[in-house]
Amino acid sequence: MSETDDIRGLPARAAALDLLGTALSRRAGLDEGLNHPAMAALEPRDRAFARALVMATLRHLGPIDTALQSRIKKAPPERIVNVLRLGAAQLLVLKTPAHAAVGATVDLAAAQKGGEVFKGLVNAVLRGFTRDPVDLDEPELMLPTWLAARWRAAYGPEAARAIAAMVAAEPATDVTLQDPADAAEVAAELEATILAEGQLRAGLKGEISTWPGFDAGRWWVQDASAAVPARLLHVQRGETALDMCAAPGGKTLQLAAAGARVVALDRSAGRIKRVSENLSRTGLGAEVAVADAAEWRDTREFDAVLLDAPCSATGTFRRHPDVLWVASPADIPKLAQVQMKLLDSAARRVKSGGRLVYCVCSLEHEEGEGQVAHFLARHKAFALNPIVAGEGGSPEASRRDDGTLRILPHHREGGTDGFYVARLRKA
């Protein structure tokens, strides 16, 4: 790294410090920070570095914090802790040359209010890492203690360790094709692997909007697991379908591409705008509405209803590693109450003989298996409509004995988002 790089690197590291603080302070903080005008104001190279540095830090936060705690007797202010975390990630994950990583991180500490007094600490700790590198690959350290305990209890020690081992890996970009017949052609353009039913895993890197076929709307970004629930509805051309919590719109696009007459519902006007933008780009059509799906006053009934409910999102840690550190045990029962109300609303929207798919990108039992068990006890007109192993492009290992899906992140080679999916039919 040249002297010019050191000078250029301080604004990028300062932006990374703000982004890390935002990511660890609240839910959706990472997305909020990435979209902040301060990030947009950076030159593309600096913006990419800031993002890469924060993601590297979040993906290795457990081992980094363990290493820092063993080297610091008295914890400094949180902002200086974050400076140290970023410095450690540069040295241990990004393999930034030591002189550049240590020097720039000391300068970053000094630039903080009251930070001058911590320059020596930052220098000493990071120099210690250069002499005594830390092993960041221990799965046992990748998760908060409470989550690790929950996953061991739910899935067993071996599966919990396999899940934890996925935390540090940078995921590839999965895309869903508007027309599955285009799979071979688009796969060649995106240097992609064909997964299943019009689902590709791209090999390209960089700005997605510049990839072949994006402007033409031939595909959209959607994790392979997230693409499964809409396929399980098997909508036919001309059928009516309701996507109850639609944003950012991938499932709405799937239903529309299959020929359904779709209503896309979301409580956030800002998020429903993204659905409209995606519909416009792909040339697909759907009715969009802003409303709380639990209280929506529309009395229409639909052949197919999809409820991808708000949840703890613990299954999305591959792309959103911050979720591991901002989630808390108290979130789960609160979200379960929201999901219950949404499911009761969904039940009213399904025609006799119609289908309902409920899913959450959570690995927590209360939001998945437990939620559906309670729903079936309340709504006797509904019964599980078992999913066949591999159906909808789901990993065969994910099928449970009752015909629901519990997709774990290690069930697909290269990783996948964690999901629970149940299909129900109304008598």
Side-chain angles (χ1 to χ4, degrees), residues 12-13 16 48-58 86-87 89-90 94:
R13 288 172 172 86
F49 173 75
R51 184 185 185 283
L53 176 54
V54 170
M55 295 302 282
T57 304
L58 291 170
L86 293 173
Q90 290 170 70
L94 300 184

Side-chain angles (χ1 to χ4, degrees), residues 85-323:
R85 287 164 166 164
L86 293 173
Q90 290 170 70
L91 286 170
L92 303 172
V93 184
L94 300 184
K95 307 298 183 183
T96 304
H99 73 276
V102 175
T105 305
V106 169
D107 290 344
L108 182 61
Q112 309 311 306
K113 185 177 180 180
E116 280 284 344
V117 299
F118 295 104
K119 288 173 62 176
L121 173 68
V122 171
N123 183 71
V125 170
L126 296 186
R127 292 289 179 194
F129 284 143
T130 66
R131 295 188 299 270
D132 183 19
V134 177
D135 179 10
L136 299 184
D137 297 327
E138 175 49 58
E140 297 296 330
L141 300 178
M142 289 296 180
L143 303 171
T145 304
W146 71 274
L147 263 183
R150 285 180 67 91
W151 293 352
R152 282 195 299 271
Y155 307 117
E158 184 177 343
R161 188 175 175 85
I163 296 170
M166 305 298 302
V167 173
E170 181 179 355
T173 301
D174 295 343
V175 303
T176 299
L177 298 174
Q178 182 169 167
D179 185 352
D182 293 339
E185 181 182 347
V186 178
E189 294 175 343
L190 302 185
E191 301 174 15
T193 301
I194 299 175
L195 298 180
E197 295 193 32
Q199 192 77 30
L200 307 180
R201 177 155 290 178
L204 294 183
K205 302 291 184 182
E207 180 54 50
I208 290 169
S209 63
T210 66
W211 292 2
F214 178 85
D215 287 338
R218 299 182 73 184
W219 50 265
W220 51 88
V221 174
Q222 188 177 30
D223 186 85
S225 290
V228 170
R231 294 194 190 110
L232 295 176
L233 283 168
H234 296 291
V235 294
Q236 303 299 306
R237 185 164 299 279
E239 281 193 316
T240 57
L242 172 64
D243 188 358
M244 289 185 67
C245 299
K251 297 176 180 65
T252 294
L253 298 178
Q254 287 179 278
L255 295 170
R261 292 179 285 138
V262 186
V263 176
L265 194 63
D266 203 276
R267 65 183 301 173
S268 166
R271 285 170 57 80
I272 206 73
K273 182 181 178 183
R274 292 183 62 190
V275 179
S276 297
E277 290 170 349
N278 282 320
L279 286 166
S280 177
R281 179 174 64 85
T282 57
L284 294 169
E287 176 188 339
V288 297
V290 179
D292 182 340
E295 307 293 340
W296 192 40
R297 295 184 177 181
D298 195 298
T299 59
R300 282 177 288 178
E301 293 182 337
F302 298 82
D303 297 301
V305 174
L306 176 59
L307 173 55
D308 184 355
C311 67
S312 62
T314 51
T316 67
F317 63 76
R318 295 163 56 252
R319 300 177 202 283
H320 302 281
D322 53 314
V323 73

